[in-house]
Amino acid sequence: MIEKIKVEGMSCQHCVMAVKKELNKLKANDYKVEIGLVEIDSVKNNLTKEQIKKAIEKAGYKVIE
C-alpha cells in the first residue's frame, strides 16, 4: 500500500536527505521523498504508517494529517 504523507517544514534538498537518512535506518528501500511529501510502500517495506511518521519526525519535520 502506497502511503502519501505530507510533511511540513521541508524547504531544500538537505531536508530531503535528512528524511531519507531516517527512512534508511528503518531498512526502507522503496520510497520517494520530495520537498513536502513522502511516498512509501508500507507493505513492501514492512513498515507501519506510525513507524514512517516517527522517522520523519525524528528527522525534524512535522507530519500533516
Side-chain angles (χ1 to χ4, degrees):
M1 178 176 175
I2 302 291
E3 303 283 352
K4 292 186 179 186
I5 302 170
K6 293 183 181 179
V7 184
E8 185 177 281
M10 295 175 70
S11 60
C12 64
Q13 288 304 310
H14 179 299
C15 302
V16 169
M17 293 306 296
V19 172
K20 285 182 174 182
K21 182 178 177 181
E22 291 303 322
L23 291 173
N24 287 337
K25 287 180 183 178
L26 296 176
K27 307 289 189 227
N29 58 20
D30 187 21
Y31 59 82
K32 180 179 178 184
V33 179
E34 300 175 352
I35 295 172
L37 181 68
V38 173
E39 292 183 27
I40 185 166
D41 188 329
S42 57
V43 174
K44 194 172 187 179
N45 285 293
N46 197 29
L47 298 169
T48 66
K49 191 169 185 177
E50 193 60 36
Q51 288 174 301
I52 298 165
K53 287 181 183 180
K54 284 183 181 181
I56 293 167
E57 290 169 354
K58 189 171 181 182
Y61 305 99
K62 183 179 178 185
V63 173
I64 302 170
E65 295 292 333

